[in-house]
Amino acid sequence: MLGFCGIGDTLSPEAVKGGHAYKPVQVSDFAAGSRIDDELKKISPSSGNGPAKHHEAYGLGMFYYARLAEFPRATSKPTLFVTADEGFYDTISSKDLKQCFGIEHETVRTVEIMRELREKYEVFVIKKVYDTHPGFEEQIQAQWETVISRERILRLDDPK
């Protein structure tokens, strides 16, 4: 069984005015066989119009898996792969949690959520080199290394 989560970004005020859809986290059902294709088709590209450049709302996806996803029949610690190319926001705002998941929750620090995620899952980050704007890759890589060990960051220098 495989499940997928598309993580994009929250929207800047300009993007909202421009009519972009708010969908920073899109989670599929778990599926096997030919149903995997059906589930993947449910996840669409996000706008890429976040409030800060070189960042995406990875924290929202992490929050979902840390606090909302449950695996009652798991017989071992599940493995979770997060794919990323940009950095993450330091906090996950109460506004975004309400808008994305419909829950009332205080703003939470991403490092706290990542700690919970590592307790619940074997977490790996598949890190694509950020080449959209040269000069930020080292900073982004260093930020990810503050929440997960370097050995668990699988770097893609030449993704296909």
Side-chain angles (χ1 to χ4, degrees):
M1 299 288 278
L2 294 174
F4 301 91
C5 176
I7 302 173
D9 208 346
T10 55
L11 295 177
S12 66
E14 295 79 24
V16 172
K17 288 178 189 172
H20 289 278
Y22 181 87
K23 50 185 176 180
V25 177
Q26 302 171 71
V27 179
S28 76
D29 289 332
F30 280 82
S34 63
R35 286 195 48 238
I36 292 172
D37 288 338
D38 295 334
E39 291 303 317
L40 274 173
K41 289 175 186 172
K42 295 177 183 178
I43 297 175
S44 61
S46 62
S47 71
N49 288 303
K53 297 300 175 208
H54 323 300
H55 291 78
E56 287 186 352
Y58 299 111
L60 282 168
M62 292 179 209
F63 183 95
Y64 174 82
Y65 282 99
R67 302 234 178 133
L68 303 176
E70 296 180 2
F71 301 96
R73 290 183 266 157
T75 57
S76 62
K77 198 173 188 181
T79 301
L80 180 66
F81 290 93
V82 176
T83 60
D85 62 341
E86 298 187 44
F88 54 85
Y89 297 107
D90 291 334
T91 59
I92 307 159
S93 76
S94 58
K95 176 185 169 199
D96 286 331
L97 290 168
K98 173 74 172 172
Q99 193 168 7
C100 191
F101 303 121
I103 60 172
E104 297 290 338
H105 197 289
E106 62 189 21
T107 294
V108 62
R109 292 178 29 88
T110 303
V111 294
E112 176 185 328
I113 293 300
M114 191 62 175
R115 190 174 313 114
E116 290 178 28
L117 204 64
R118 290 191 321 264
E119 290 172 7
K120 191 173 179 179
Y121 304 92
E122 296 293 344
V123 180
F124 295 87
V125 174
I126 300 173
K127 173 75 181 67
K128 178 183 169 281
V129 172
Y130 182 73
D131 58 6
T132 305
H133 299 104
F136 290 93
E137 176 57 26
E138 285 182 21
Q139 176 185 344
I140 292 167
Q141 177 74 23
Q143 184 192 36
W144 279 103
E145 289 177 12
T146 67
V147 296
I148 190 165
S149 66
R150 177 178 284 176
E151 299 80 32
R152 288 183 173 250
I153 300 173
L154 311 173
R155 192 174 159 109
L156 293 178
D157 291 322
D158 188 23
K160 302 286 181 212

